[in-house]
Amino acid sequence: MTPALTFFAGLGLLVLFGWYFATDVGLRKRLLATTLVMLLVAFSIATIWPPKEKIQLGLDIQGGTSFLIRLMGGDKDVNKGMLDQAVEVIRKRIDYFGVSEPVISPVGNDRILVQIPGLDTAKIQEAREQLSRVAKLEFRLVYPDNGERLRLIDEGKEVIPPEYRIEVYKMTAEGNEKPREERLLVKKKADLGGDRVKESHAYYGNEGWTVQLKFDGEGAKQFGKITEQYKGHRFAIVLDGVIQSAPVIRDAIYGGDAIITGKFEEKEARGLASVLENPLQTPVSIEEERSVSPTLGLDSIRASIMAGLLGLAITLVCVLIYYRLPGLVANLALLVNLVLLIGALTMFRFVLTLPGIAGIILTIGLSVDANVLIYERLREEMALGKSLRVAMETAYQKAFSSIFDANVTTLITALILFWQAAGPVRGFAISLTFGILASLFTALIVGRNALGWLVDTGRVKKISMLHLISSQNINFLGKGFLACMCSLALILAGATSFYIRGEKNFGVDFRGGDLVTLSSPAKIDVGQVRDGLKPIGLADASIQESAQSGKYYITVRSPLNTSDKVEKQIIQTMPSANFKVERSERVGALVGGELAKSSLVALGLGILGILIFVTFRFELSFAVGAIVALLHDVIITVGVFSLLGRELTLTMVGAVLTIAGYSINDTIVVYDRIREGLASGRRGSIEEIMNSSINQTLSRTILTSTVTLIPILCLFLLGGAVLRDFSLAIIVGVVVGTYSSIFIASPIVLWWSRARGQSTSTLRREVTQKPTAANPLAR
């Protein structure tokens, strides 16, 4: 699909959206909704198909190596021009490997991310050397009568002078012309080193685009002698053995200032100026290195897709059995949701990574939540004796506020995660963000209009649903103190474990170091591996084993720059195991520290955003309860991981922030029902109204948690070793988040209100004065 067609299609959809929200006529609104859904689905399918040409795969799926390179400016401060030039220098070096579509992009002010897909693990060392070596800038004289001497050499009448060699100078093409090539006899030895250039820049002058350069004191003397002696000769500028330009020396130049003129385009002039600044004159530092073999990536994606499809199938069947006809509508909405989600990710050139797949799988569970809220409300309204049409309208009206508040708070955490995080965690945040938006659209437009059409046309006159979780009258708040003591005990146990384990709690992403994963077709004896590492003094390295798709894996974590020795030693010590390197990571301590800092900043900003939003929508005591519950869930999840001997990694940051999002989502639904109870004027104390509200949402809470856990459990059991820790964290977080929304968040609101001396009427007044979400979908 062309960009122009995409633009006009998007504009048309935007107009339809506006028309839909502006109209109040039932039939017209339904027709507009149907048209919108059909166009969006068609647009998404056209964007997705054929998948091989549209969906980009991350290195953790297709295999390859990623390097994060830092420019060491030395005496010079690294500027944008130097960074851009370094990107071009590195691109030329990567072309040496003949790989397709490498990603080479600046990161921040002084770093470059290099991703080489499909790079064989045997070539990693060679790639490392290519990227980290010094860029060599030289000035070399061209033979005085270059053309005539080359003609005689070609005719066999002359030989190449011993101090010269033939080089090919590829000139920049103008317009649609092919690049021109010129053979030059260039000196083998440099006449002047590039380290003598102090600065260079391009500007537009009387002779068009011009490049100016300035030499240091010694360079100025050498350049003056050369230009005096070789006036009228050509002087080749060579970077990494490739001629960048070959201007003519017009006059003797003293003082160290020189200009280069020619028929330069702006891009060519700026590029030459950047070459002359030579940002890679000093060695660069490879601060992070990650590689995954194509086989490990394919095994992981195959396992993830199987887990996702199984989780989707179980979810569809459970929803259909429990809600029957509304469940069929919810399943239709869920399938449309997935089509729209994948379409959006494809259109925005999303790179599909394993955490991204996990985000899509998590969306399966979260997208059902809105429908559960609506149908549980529908059940309540029908129980009051209302007609089906009125009950359905009321259910959507009342559920909208909960859906809006819960999804906006989750969206806040996803957006902050995208803003602060990097790499695969950012991919997870993107998939989660699009998933939330798609689920809102499908629940409130697709599901509503499909069910409304069946009811309004008289095709459905009665709806029956299973009701396995009936309304209870449990005194949850009365058990708040006991629950808090249990949580405190678990937090203390986790904190103690965290303190005892110390640095072992953190993976290489945070503390820096090396990681290497090797596979074997036979079961691996970890004790034998540890014995094999004794000769190189690394017997105490962390070693984990796992199995996936009939292969056995060991992962060894060791100090920085030791993975090559570890890999070599293990393969030599156990030759019969037929080890193959599947994955390796190398992260500098500086990068690890920055990751830890950015993760804490992301969590802090997420908490601040939620605090502001919940205070605005509810009341300060509710915001305090939500934040305490959120911190409770995150701390317990991290503590449980420490107790289980697991490590915190970059991907785990995504899991922890997802837990924060789920926790607040669940808490907001309970809060919304409490606010409704207070606003309704129902008699009773704050505690009685809160208990009643929690009991009313109990079925929704259990159903949503169960449906969310289904695909994540499938991911944990079938998704392979790569995503096992990630899915385990989500499972722990969902369980703890469900518990905290009932036993932690609400008691905090009650205790805070009592501490401030608020009566029921005072809290009722403060809550009801807050703005409620206006339902733009109301008919």
Side-chain angles (χ1 to χ4, degrees), residues 209-230:
W209 279 99
T210 302
V211 177
Q212 184 175 30
L213 68 155
K214 183 178 286 187
F215 293 95
D216 63 12
E218 182 60 32
K221 290 178 185 177
Q222 293 181 31
F223 190 64
K225 289 178 183 178
I226 292 167
T227 54
E228 181 182 6
Q229 186 177 352
Y230 297 101

Side-chain angles (χ1 to χ4, degrees), residues 289-291 508-509 513-516 563 583-587:
E289 177 187 324
R290 301 175 191 272
S291 68
V508 294
D509 289 329
D514 284 13
L515 174 150
V516 62
S563 58
R583 173 182 165 209
S584 68
E585 296 182 13
R586 178 170 294 168
V587 182

